[in-house]
């Protein structure tokens, strides 16, 4: 890698930035060697040239005082920072900045678990705390509180929440379960949101909305501030937990499954974020594509059939769980089982039926908030596997699910990729996650993946479907689909950006929100 | 009432404002006669001179086009608007503006129910839709969706949500159940938040957070925009509903009740917003103070005893409900009953035990989202009753509940008022509502109420308790208690105000957020 500088910076000026950053955090926490230090801040899963996202340096403060010093340096020189937390952020850009030359503000060293409140059921964490960190800590202190984790154990509790991530227990809507933030703004102002703005507050992590405008949402998927502390509500271990799985034979069963699911979800008989996973998703966590087919193009029906038989999975596989005392689980189970088993060809499995199988075990763990890394096996589906995730929000209806599925599948077939997807159901929507798996060392595969992704964004938005999150390479394109009334929402985002960070030093371009200083350059 | 003008307006200029407003909405919807029109926009429950909150005029647009015209007029002249929805807003300022001379922007004519989505469980409403409107509409169309209403039936679905109000079913956290907004900003820009920013969006009211910063919270308890449309999730009628009540004998039982409640709530065995109501609250919805005591000062123990016997209520009365299929309710009920009945002197009541009693019947209705007006009887406790509500957030612990109760009770006793209060429990907090009832035609009573309220705000904030909402007269005082780090949160609120409404035409002073143009004047 070549050395790069922030746009418009001469080497002397950038050397001064680095010198000041070293004063701020100590020289061992400023990284600027393009050969030795900075590759750690590349996105391993890029479909575009790495040069486009090559940071000029990275800086890792140890505490809020050092964050303030770093911001003061950035502000003094007008240097763009790109904030990252812990976790890998694979599929969405990893640690790489939106544009080459940005300085990565790496929050991973701030990894204190500041409070676990057993009585009220919450924890307060810094940005560097991962799910596995929090899980282990709770075990160590003998807590009976569950966490709700993202699929990969290394994910960050706060970063995932800030990106509107979901987990798989009844607390799976992470932002809904967030309560209270400490945020550092670009000008160095430290803000406590909500009830935390009252000195000596007794309720900073107990009541979400505070007094006056509720600002927490503003600091999610945004570049308005650096969140340094966050409260998250934790669910007490329920009296019982019983995960279940239904498999369905036919591709078109997705329609019936989704129609069956909606009333169960809306009526809260399915309290958690349950998942309808496609055949290849469930296969790929256990086997390799080449075990079943070595040709190019879509898997032939015979290979799919064999895979289904071998792994006892269906074209679609629904994972959910019951929570609570046994009699309550029994009662709910009868309703759920009867409804899903009404779909011809459906099969049902409980824990005793599948113990030890990878695809089952990790879903069982996720449903009770036990972090693990099984899903990362998806990357073994093809050699040198990498992925970018296309994540449109879907209504919970059969026709919508089928339309989104077909929209992706047909384009996958044409572009030479497998449809590896799942639908995770929330309060009223499904997060449809298509894990677009490509070969990271194959330029043709990368180019096709990039092209396909762009097509998917276009086709989905034309059908009225928008994504909830995306890779840094597609932030502008997707932001541009949220363009109702001449981009009126993004014009407000820009207005707030200019008000809170007039110099534009914090994560320029995040979610398509550019500071005034760069807006013309980008549009041009 | 005298005619008043917006601060700094000469009569000629204001006449021009009125003329333009008449052009905007038609002359029959511009109200400016201080004798005939404007008393409707006074707060009937003021403890301060009405002159302080006398509007100069009111204007009631019929649709968003007229809202835009009104905003254009206000902007042209720099005239301050004070936005109100439907509902009475009693206890929090009614329809009256924060300062004399503001023009009330009355949204009550926009009362369309734009959509009821039976399948997904939501409705989309305009600001003028009341709970009783929505309830009746759902009945009329044969919907099986419940609403979750505030205590008074005339309350507004959107306005209550915007003020962070709560109801009493499992969907009682109104803001949590809100999804998607249409907002008009001061400059006339119309914004769709969340997924609604995507043209032809299929998920505008199905997924809360959209792509990028989540802005909805910004438009709650704020003066950053005029919300003209909102989605609210509705709960499908559960298979069963079984309200219950426990009474407790002694004042100090509040501690044990709250300690019993917390694990039940955090473990979701109490799924709804349940309430611990004090003796006088439950009495006042059924009888008058003078029925039991005609003297001044605190009710003597003998009167309290008689009231408890006559009405079969306790010093504290806990109202909750079970939801779901019978076996599930049976199972949960055993747990709940055993826990509360473990408190010495506790008595339990189900519907059959109290049918027809006012205090029971209205709680039963609220727990299933049936709007009614019973709670308004509180105002009959004393002659010419009026109230302002002091609403601190409390942790769900016995010591905190007792501390807040004692803090209020002792000051009530000294100031000559009754403690009429309840604790409504949410996910992790209790909204403690003290209904400070005074005599609206008695200047001494009003002055004492006003003084007491200010003392309560001070005492609560010193103990680390903040209010979630308040009367217009106390917005500045309470905002000033949220002053951590040199008011850093309010400084951001001001910054956003200046960015989104630089002229300061929208609801100046709402929640202590003043536009730049008035900030000095107010501080001075």
């Amino acid at each position: 890698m070549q050395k790069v500088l922030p746009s418009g910076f001469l080497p002397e000026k950038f050397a001064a930035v680095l010198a000041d950053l070293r004063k701020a955090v100590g020289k061992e926490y400023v990284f600027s060697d393009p050969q030795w230090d900075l590759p750690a801040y590349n996105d391993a899963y890029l479909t575009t040239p790495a040069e486009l996202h090559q940071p000029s340096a990275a800086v890792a403060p140890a505490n809020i005082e050092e964050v303030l010093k770093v911001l003061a340096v950035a502000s003094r020189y007008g240097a763009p920072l790109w904030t990252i937390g812990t976790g890998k952020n694979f599929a969405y850009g990893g640690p790489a900045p939106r544009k080459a030359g940005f300085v990565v503000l790496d929050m991973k060293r701030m990894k204190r678990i500041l409070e676990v409140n057993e009585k009220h059921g919450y924890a307060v964490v810094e940005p560097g705390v991962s799910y596995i960190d929090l899980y282990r800590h709770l075990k160590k202190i003998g807590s009976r509180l569950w966490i709700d984790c993202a699929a990969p154990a290394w994910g960050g509790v706060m970063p995932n929440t800030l990106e509107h991530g979901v987990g798989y227990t009844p607390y799976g809507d992470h932002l809904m379960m967030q309560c209270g933030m400490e945020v550092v703004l670009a000008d160095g102002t430290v803000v406590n949101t909500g009830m935390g703005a009252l000195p000596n507050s007794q309720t900073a992590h107990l009541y979400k909305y505070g007094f006056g405008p509720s600002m927490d949402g503003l600091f999610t998927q945004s570049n308005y501030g650096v969140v340094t502390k966050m409260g998250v509500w934790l669910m007490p271990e329920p009296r019982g937990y019983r995960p279940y799985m239904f498999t369905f034979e036919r591709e078109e069963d997705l329609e019936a499954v989704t129609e069956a699911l909606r009333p169960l979800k809306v009526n809260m008989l399915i309290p958690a974020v349950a998942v309808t996973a496609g055949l290849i998703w469930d296969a790929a966590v256990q086997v390799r594509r080449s075990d079943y087919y070595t040709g190019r193009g879509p898997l032939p029906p015979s290979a799919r059939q064999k895979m289904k038989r071998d792994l006892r999975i269906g074209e679609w596989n629904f994972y959910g769980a019951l929570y609570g005392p046994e009699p309550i689980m029994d009662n709910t189970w009868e309703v759920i089982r009867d409804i899903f088993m009404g779909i011809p060809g459906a099969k049902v499995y409980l824990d005793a039926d599948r113990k030890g199988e990878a695809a089952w075990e990790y879903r069982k763990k996720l449903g009770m908030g036990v972090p693990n890394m099984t899903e990362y096996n998806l990357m073994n589906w093809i050699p040198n596997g990498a992925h970018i995730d296309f994540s449109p929000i879907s209504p919970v209806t059969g026709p919508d699910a089928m339309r989104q599925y077909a929209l992706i599948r047909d384009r996958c077939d044409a572009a030479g990729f497998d449809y590896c997807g799942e639908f995770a159901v929330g309060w009223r929507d499904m997060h449809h996650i298509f894990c677009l798996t490509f070969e990271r060392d194959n330029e043709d595969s990368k180019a096709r993946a990039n092209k396909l992704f762009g097509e998917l964004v276009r086709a989905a938005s034309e059908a009225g479907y928008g994504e909830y999150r995306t890779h840094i390479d597609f932030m502008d394109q997707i932001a541009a689909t949220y363009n109702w009334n001449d981009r009126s929402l993004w014009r407000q985002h820009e207005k707030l950006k200019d008000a809170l960070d007039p110099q534009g030093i914090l994560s320029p371009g995040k979610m398509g929100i550019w500071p005034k200083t760069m807006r013309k350059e980008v549009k041009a």
Side-chain angles (χ1 to χ4, degrees), chain A:
Chain A
M1 281 290 169
Q2 295 293 314
K3 234 181 169 57
V4 295
L5 300 176
S7 171
F9 276 60
L10 295 174
E12 300 71 41
K13 183 175 170 187
F14 192 62
V17 171
L18 291 180
D20 282 2
L21 288 177
R22 289 187 191 107
K23 271 181 235 157
V25 303
K27 65 179 168 23
E28 62 275 44
Y29 295 110
V30 177
F31 310 100
S32 61
D33 185 308
Q35 191 174 357
W36 296 107
D37 292 339
L38 295 181
Y41 294 98
N42 285 343
D43 177 14
Y45 293 173
L46 276 177
T47 60
T48 50
E51 291 72 30
L52 296 178
H53 302 293
Q54 168 80 7
S56 56
V59 54
N63 50 48
I64 192 169
E65 291 72 26
E66 292 188 3
V67 172
L68 289 168
K69 287 181 193 168
V70 169
L71 260 57
V73 174
S75 185
R76 193 176 315 140
Y77 296 96
L81 300 172
W82 183 262
T83 310
I84 64 166
T86 192
K88 299 296 182 187
N89 200 30
F90 279 151
Y92 295 118
R98 176 67 189 82
K99 280 190 80 171
F102 291 179
V103 177
V104 174
L105 172 56
D106 185 345
M107 303 294 284
K108 73 180 165 209
R109 289 177 67 212
M110 290 181 63
K111 54 184 297 155
R112 286 182 301 166
I113 296 164
L114 296 161
E115 183 183 0
V116 172
N117 193 309
E118 193 75 20
K119 186 154 65 175
H120 292 292
Y122 71 80
V124 184
V125 296
E126 289 188 332
V129 176
S130 71
Y131 287 111
I132 190 74
D133 292 339
L134 182 56
Y135 177 80
R136 285 184 181 146
H137 179 73
L138 292 174
K139 289 289 152 200
K140 200 177 83 185
I141 64 174
S143 171
R144 293 192 63 246
L145 298 171
W146 279 9
I147 67 167
D148 183 287
C149 57
W154 57 37
V157 177
M158 178 196 295
N160 184 278
T161 303
L162 292 180
E163 294 301 324
H164 302 172
V166 301
Y168 305 89
T169 80
Y171 281 28
D173 183 335
H174 289 167
L175 187 51
M176 197 175 269
M177 296 299 140
Q178 171 270 327
C179 189
M181 284 180 183
E182 174 188 81
V183 189
V184 182
L185 300 176
D187 66 0
T189 305
V190 183
V191 171
N192 275 345
T193 65
M195 302 306 287
L198 188 98
N200 185 32
S201 176
Q202 302 299 305
T203 57
H205 304 294
L206 297 177
Y207 176 63
K208 283 169 72 81
Y209 310 128
F211 181 84
S214 179
M215 289 188 78
D216 297 45
L218 265 200
F219 299 107
T220 68
Q221 289 199 349
S222 90
N223 50 17
Y224 297 154
V226 178
V227 185
T228 46
K229 197 191 286 188
M230 177 184 283
V232 288
W233 290 342
L234 302 177
M235 175 174 148
E237 183 185 329
R239 284 207 276 163
Y241 171 62
R242 203 188 294 171
Y244 56 81
M245 172 189 186
F246 294 95
T247 62
F248 304 95
E249 286 301 301
R250 305 169 315 158
E251 220 179 338
E252 59 269 34
D253 286 342
L254 176 63
E255 174 142 3
V257 171
T258 309
E259 285 296 309
L261 168 60
R262 186 185 55 252
L264 293 172
K265 184 69 199 176
V266 175
N267 286 284
M268 297 193 275
L269 292 180
I270 296 178
V273 174
V275 172
T276 311
L279 169 67
I280 291 182
W281 190 294
D282 260 23
V285 294
Q286 313 181 69
V287 297
R288 289 157 198 246
R289 188 181 210 266
S290 58
D291 297 339
Y292 288 86
Y293 188 58
T294 51
R296 295 208 158 255
L299 286 174
S302 60
R304 295 182 81 95
Q305 275 309 337
K306 183 162 178 0
M307 211 182 288
K308 285 195 256 183
R309 262 199 320 274
D310 289 357
L311 303 172
R312 296 192 302 153
I313 57 179
E315 279 290 338
W316 298 101
N317 304 282
F318 183 77
Y319 294 92
L322 306 164
Y323 300 84
E326 292 293 327
I328 290 184
M329 292 197 292
D330 288 344
N331 192 278
T332 309
W333 177 236
E334 283 181 31
V335 180
I336 291 175
R337 190 195 50 209
D338 290 354
I339 286 179
F340 281 116
M341 291 304 283
I343 298 171
K347 294 194 184 67
V348 59
Y349 300 94
L350 296 174
D351 192 36
D353 306 315
R354 307 197 73 109
K355 253 196 185 356
E357 293 176 27
W360 168 257
E361 290 292 336
Y362 98 93
R363 294 289 184 183
K364 181 171 81 180
K365 284 179 182 160
L366 292 180
M368 58 192 293
V370 176
N372 65 84
M373 286 304 301
T374 304
E375 201 169 85
Y376 194 54
N377 289 351
L378 289 178
M379 292 307 98
N380 298 328
W381 178 242
I382 56 172
N384 291 309
H387 66 125
I388 45 177
D389 288 1
F390 176 69
S391 318
I393 296 293
S394 173
V396 192
T397 79
D400 283 295
M402 282 303 291
R403 202 173 302 132
Q404 289 204 359
Y405 167 59
L407 181 155
I408 298 174
R409 178 203 56 200
D410 294 350
R411 285 171 180 78
C412 274
D413 286 353
F417 293 102
D418 293 320
Y419 171 83
C420 174
E422 66 172 13
F423 292 83
V425 65
W427 278 84
R428 291 290 187 278
D429 83 296
M430 297 188 294
H431 286 49
H432 183 186
I433 311 295
F434 162 50
C435 178
L436 171 46
T437 311
F438 60 92
E439 295 168 53
R440 52 187 287 204
D441 296 339
N442 178 329
E443 290 305 318
D444 171 62
S445 178
K446 286 163 69 174
R448 279 183 292 119
N450 187 279
K451 182 159 170 285
L452 171 60
F453 199 102
E455 286 171 14
L456 293 175
V457 172
R458 269 189 301 280
S461 71
E462 279 164 20
Y465 303 127
E467 285 71 58
Y468 94 97
R469 185 178 183 184
T470 201
H471 187 280
I472 49 174
D473 274 327
F474 295 95
M475 286 179 174
D476 286 339
Q477 186 189 351
I478 291 179
T481 66
Y482 287 83
N483 62 355
W484 183 79
N485 193 20
D486 189 24
R487 305 174 62 248
S488 66
L489 183 57
W490 251 256
R491 283 188 280 128
Q492 304 321 309
H493 289 332
E494 290 168 354
K495 203 179 273 185
L496 298 187
K497 180 65 178 170
D498 294 341
L500 295 170
D501 178 17
Q503 271 189 293
I505 58 171
L506 294 179
S507 299
K510 170 87 177 170
M511 306 317 268
I513 302 168
W514 292 93
K516 192 184 289 181
T517 45
M518 299 188 194
R519 225 165 278 153
K520 273 187 200 142
E521 183 186 339
V522 173
K523 293 280 147 56

